[in-house]
Amino acid sequence: MLKQLKPDRLYFIINIDESYASRIFEVLKEEETKRGNWPEGDISYREWVEQTFGQAGLDVLDKVKSDI
């Protein structure tokens, strides 16, 4: 989910290639869905990466898998 950064708020950033990124995505999706703020629907982490970052994002995920 892409959101606009708002003034007077603090944020943290997670690289999509971190091993824990997909778990954080699932928690974020679950909590935002409960609040009614998840417009993407029931999509997987990989689908979200593709929608958000396109092929470049998928390439990053595939590289991480191949490095393991």
Side-chain angles (χ1 to χ4, degrees), residues 1 5 11 16-17 23 30 39 45 48 53 57 65 67:
M1 164 178 250
L5 296 179
Y11 295 88
I16 65 168
D17 60 350
R23 293 190 303 249
E30 179 183 339
Y45 177 63
W48 175 80
F53 303 106
K65 285 183 182 178
D67 288 345

Side-chain angles (χ1 to χ4, degrees), residues 9-26:
R9 294 199 178 191
L10 302 175
Y11 295 88
F12 64 93
I13 298 170
I14 301 160
N15 290 326
I16 65 168
D17 60 350
E18 295 290 353
S19 60
Y20 50 79
S22 62
R23 293 190 303 249
I24 290 172
F25 166 83
E26 291 300 330

Side-chain angles (χ1 to χ4, degrees), residues 7-67:
D8 300 323
R9 294 199 178 191
L10 302 175
Y11 295 88
F12 64 93
I13 298 170
I14 301 160
N15 290 326
I16 65 168
D17 60 350
E18 295 290 353
S19 60
Y20 50 79
S22 62
R23 293 190 303 249
I24 290 172
F25 166 83
E26 291 300 330
V27 170
L28 177 63
K29 178 176 133 181
E30 179 183 339
E31 295 302 317
E32 289 294 298
T33 298
K34 287 178 188 175
R35 294 175 49 197
N37 292 332
W38 188 261
E40 287 89 344
D42 189 21
I43 62 173
S44 70
Y45 177 63
R46 186 171 179 84
E47 290 169 321
W48 175 80
V49 168
E50 181 179 25
Q51 288 179 18
T52 306
F53 303 106
Q55 187 59 48
L58 293 178
D59 292 346
V60 168
L61 292 185
D62 292 340
K63 181 179 181 333
V64 169
K65 285 183 182 178
S66 68
D67 288 345

